Amino acid sequence: MSTRSATPQKGAASRRLIAVVLLVPLLAALALWAFAWPAARTAPRDLPLGVAGPAAATAQVEQQLGRHEGAFDIHRYADEAAAREAIEDRTVYGAVVVTPQGPELLTASAASPAVAQLLQQAVAQQAAADGTQVKTVDVVPAPENDPRGAGLTSSVLPLALAGMAAGAAVTLLGLRGVRAVGALVGVAILIGLVAASIAHSWLGVLTGDWWAEAGVFALTTLAVSGAVAGLAALVGTAGIGITAATIMLIGNPFSGAASAPQMLPEPVGAIGQWLPPGAGTTLLRSVSFYDGSAAIGPALTLAWWAALGLGAVLLGNAHKARATSAEPAPERELATAG
């Protein structure tokens, strides 16, 4: 080999080495920021909380809660029944009810065990300062087999990984158009059935309608796999890495699955709900513990992701077909022969 040909190769190898040395630490720093920053800054931010009872009696409670500046978004209700209904509709995470016997705290550990514990601590501390005791009632309790919600939150990452694997497999196997869409839908349905069998039937961490839960698992998987395959169909295999990085480094840590979207720094909580992991977790809680209350928003988010992803798969295939048909016949023959 001549010196001239060896020199460019050495230069290219050096550039690749520098790229690896710089990019890997950068990705590590990005991952650490995405996961550690929201976790380290977890605190209530405009967390919806109800206050129920006569206006004169609840004024002091509202004033005490207002000392936690920016922590709670207070919703006022006439009585305990209205507060319970708001919790069951997922309008608020809990409520403080003023009764003649003393304050009563209504929580919903199914919505977030972390938030329920936070409310208990905040209200109990204030009551202790006033020399009273607080009765706590869990209106929508978490399942007995999963009191801390660990089983539900642990399902977020596997579903994201399954969706990414399905989208990457369809792309790398060369499936296009209707075949790719059929494969993605079929895989999502099977994953939904398997996930519901494990989480509901075996582990007992979900307690809602079995088929609705399977549908949520399937739709969440399809939203991710469709996005992966769709972007890859439009921009090439680089789309796999771009979508996977978005889901893993933003979607998962910003989902609020372990606490609540309102417990994350702004606008992290809102961004997380626009991505499949966050929307999937919220929807799964709704169908499993709340009979579908507040399910429309996250369901539409997942449906849009799935529809846009599958549409991109079909669009990418059509674009490639037009490009191929536009090539001169000799070039197509050479491409086929190659």
Side-chain angles (χ1 to χ4, degrees):
M1 181 180 296
S2 65
T3 303
R4 292 182 179 178
S5 60
T7 300
Q9 292 180 1
K10 290 181 180 180
S14 299
R15 288 192 295 270
R16 288 194 293 267
L17 176 61
I18 294 173
V20 170
V21 171
L22 294 178
L23 287 178
V24 173
L26 180 61
L27 289 175
L30 179 61
L32 181 62
W33 167 81
F35 282 88
W37 173 57
R41 297 293 184 267
T42 298
R45 296 171 175 84
D46 290 328
L47 186 76
L49 177 65
V51 174
T58 59
Q60 184 178 358
V61 175
E62 293 183 26
Q63 183 179 3
Q64 293 170 347
L65 293 173
R67 294 174 184 172
H68 305 277
E69 187 175 354
F72 301 109
D73 177 19
I74 303 299
H75 296 242
R76 299 169 182 82
Y77 301 101
D79 51 29
E80 180 177 346
R84 283 178 174 267
E85 184 177 355
I87 293 173
E88 292 170 350
D89 290 341
R90 302 202 72 182
T91 303
V92 294
Y93 282 89
V96 180
V97 182
V98 180
T99 69
Q101 294 75 28
E104 180 180 81
L105 175 63
L106 307 180
T107 63
S109 58
S112 172
V115 170
Q117 183 179 8
L118 180 145
L119 294 178
Q120 291 176 27
Q121 293 174 348
V123 176
Q125 287 177 357
Q126 187 59 49
D130 297 338
T132 59
Q133 292 184 344
V134 179
K135 176 185 177 183
T136 301
V137 179
D138 200 345
V139 177
V140 188
E144 294 182 1
N145 293 333
D146 190 29
R148 297 181 180 180
L152 185 145
T153 57
S154 297
S155 66
V156 176
L157 181 58
L159 283 180
L161 291 175
M164 288 186 289
V170 165
T171 301
L172 297 177
L173 290 175
L175 297 179
R176 296 179 180 177
V178 176
R179 289 185 178 180
V181 170
L184 292 171
V185 172
V187 168
I189 291 173
L190 289 177
I191 290 175
L193 297 176
V194 171
S197 298
I198 294 174
H200 185 119
S201 304
W202 179 32
L203 298 178
V205 299
L206 302 178
T207 58
D209 181 79
W210 193 94
W211 289 104
E213 292 164 357
V216 173
F217 283 127
L219 184 57
T220 303
T221 303
L222 185 61
V224 176
S225 63
V228 171
L231 189 58
L234 294 177
V235 304
T237 54
I240 298 176
I242 295 172
T243 310
T246 301
I247 297 298
M248 288 299 297
L249 298 181
I250 299 179
N252 277 320
F254 289 12
S255 67
S259 55
Q262 295 85 356
M263 295 286 287
L264 301 179
E266 297 179 353
V268 168
I271 294 174
Q273 294 305 297
W274 299 337
L275 298 173
T281 302
T282 301
L283 182 58
L284 187 60
R285 290 189 189 278
S286 291
V287 302
S288 183
F289 307 131
Y290 289 89
D291 294 327
S293 296
I296 295 178
L300 288 176
T301 298
L302 293 174
W304 272 110
W305 273 90
L308 291 175
L310 298 180
V313 170
L314 297 175
L315 180 63
N317 179 69
H319 178 72
K320 290 179 181 178
R322 286 196 300 269
T324 302
S325 62
E327 291 180 359
E331 293 186 7
R332 288 202 304 268
E333 291 175 359
L334 288 174
T336 304

